[in-house]
Amino acid sequence: MSARPQPPAKITVLGAGSWGTTFAKVLADAAAEARAERNVCLWGRDPEAVERMARERRNERYVPGIDLPAALTFSSDLSEALDGADLVVAAIPAQALRAQLEIAAPAVAPGAVVLSLAKGLESSTGLRMTQVIAEILAEATGVPEQDWARRTCVLSGPNLAMEIAREEPTASVVAAPEHETAAWVARCCAAPYFRPYTNTDVVGTEIGGLVKNVIALCVGICDGREYGDNSKASVMTRGLAETTRLALALGGHTTTLSGLSGMGDLVATCSSSLSRNHTAGRLLGAGLSLAQVQDAMTQTAEGIKSAPAVLELARRHGVDMPITEAVVSVLRGETPVHELAPRLLGRDLKSEGNTA
């Protein structure tokens, strides 16, 4: 696509969960900082919840205690929310994205740019989120899939929603096939407390963001088993190695995995009590069954659904991912959590290199 020198007149965020609400706040604050005449609209599917947010200027269920910008608008009507949107932000959980976007797609403008916030692989197809988006929009609009792929971006990095909602400073990466598109999106979300970098490695950025959820499950299990920092640091380091192997096999770049969407996101997700995947792993490590963990979680831990798809993708490309394989075995009930460490430590000795 050609460069987009004009800022968008309207941005619509689809999904009013914790990250969608937080990112809508980021976009509205960025517009205010730039003194831009821009409509930022947050769409949610529950009319009562949306009306309450509009009235109270808060989303107490997902980002409690956070005042939302006065300029932010709200809608539960997809056609109304998407009408005139130059940038559409998909803040929908990975496994729900296809179904939700199929409903929304007819209202998306054929020339819009789409930004994915989801970090996961579609469990039924093994597709990355940008691939799912381009496929669905092509089917709905008649615009060729490769054209949508050029205008579909991903944002990733250390994105713990509550910290960002509290305006604690952070940085992330916007990745798009063309630099001009990534830079255009980055300018839209450059708030005083939120710094977006750019790259053109969509594959590496997405793989870093989705595999770290699986590694965070393993680190959480270590916490649940009351293992120390050595154990957790070892899992994180070797987890980054296997994430990098998969990204390289799919065409990603090493530098991406050593940056914000790789190591940065991994450290945040594996270390924070705010991380859903770390929390789910900790509960597993403490002895809860997978069903009990899912009942206890109020929000989606993407790694639980994505892990088997990640392992299948790795096997198709001949990539060795022992931590992912062990986590999948635990999730399937094939390996008790107390056998996770012996399984990982009992592997053949080899070089530390990422290709080993």
Side-chain angles (χ1 to χ4, degrees), residues 53-215:
M53 280 190 285
R55 183 178 66 251
E56 300 176 356
R57 314 305 303 179
R58 286 193 171 192
N59 185 345
E60 287 296 335
R61 178 177 179 183
Y62 290 111
V63 282
I66 301 299
D67 293 326
L68 300 176
L72 183 62
T73 63
F74 302 86
S75 178
S76 59
D77 184 313
L78 269 174
S79 296
E80 176 188 75
L82 290 167
D83 183 36
D86 309 289
L87 174 59
V88 177
V89 181
I92 300 168
Q95 307 312 321
L97 178 62
R98 181 177 293 274
Q100 289 292 322
L101 195 56
E102 284 175 345
I103 298 170
V108 176
V113 171
V114 182
L115 175 65
S116 171
L117 301 187
K119 298 177 179 179
L121 278 184
E122 189 173 46
S123 59
S124 60
T125 64
L127 294 177
R128 292 176 283 109
M129 295 299 98
T130 56
Q131 293 174 307
V132 173
I133 290 169
E135 180 182 286
I136 293 170
L137 291 176
E139 292 174 356
T141 64
V143 176
E145 189 171 333
Q146 59 267 30
D147 290 347
W148 279 115
R150 287 202 302 272
R151 288 185 278 114
T152 300
C153 322
V154 59
L155 182 137
S156 194
N159 300 142
L160 296 166
M162 268 315 298
E163 290 188 3
I164 298 172
R166 291 193 295 256
E167 301 187 10
E168 298 174 14
T170 191
S172 290
V173 173
V174 176
E178 298 176 359
H179 173 74
E180 292 82 3
T181 306
W184 184 79
V185 172
R187 287 192 293 272
C188 295
C189 58
Y193 53 90
F194 189 86
R195 177 179 173 83
Y197 289 80
T198 60
N199 72 38
T200 55
D201 183 11
V202 174
V203 172
T205 300
E206 283 194 283
I207 292 299
L210 66 93
V211 179
K212 58 90 188 181
N213 287 333
V214 182
I215 307 305

Side-chain angles (χ1 to χ4, degrees), residues 263-326:
M263 183 176 68
D265 199 5
L266 181 72
V267 169
T269 307
C270 290
S271 304
S272 176
S273 60
L274 295 174
S275 164
R276 305 169 193 175
N277 293 282
H278 179 276
T279 298
R282 179 175 52 77
L283 294 174
L284 286 169
L288 273 66
S289 69
L290 180 57
Q292 290 172 322
V293 169
Q294 291 174 318
D295 286 342
M297 300 285 292
T298 58
Q299 298 187 56
T300 303
E302 294 283 12
I304 291 175
K305 292 291 181 68
S306 291
V310 170
L311 182 59
E312 175 59 28
L313 182 64
R315 286 173 172 170
R316 286 204 309 269
H317 290 271
V319 177
D320 184 30
M321 299 186 72
I323 297 174
T324 299
E325 185 173 354

Side-chain angles (χ1 to χ4, degrees), residues 203-252:
V203 172
T205 300
E206 283 194 283
I207 292 299
L210 66 93
V211 179
K212 58 90 188 181
N213 287 333
V214 182
I215 307 305
L217 286 171
C218 191
V219 173
I221 290 172
C222 290
D223 263 334
R225 298 292 299 163
E226 299 184 348
Y227 297 154
D229 291 335
N230 288 339
S231 302
K232 291 179 284 187
S234 298
V235 170
M236 289 168 64
T237 304
R238 295 313 304 162
L240 181 61
E242 65 181 64
T243 304
T244 302
R245 287 198 295 270
L246 180 61
L248 294 178
L250 297 172

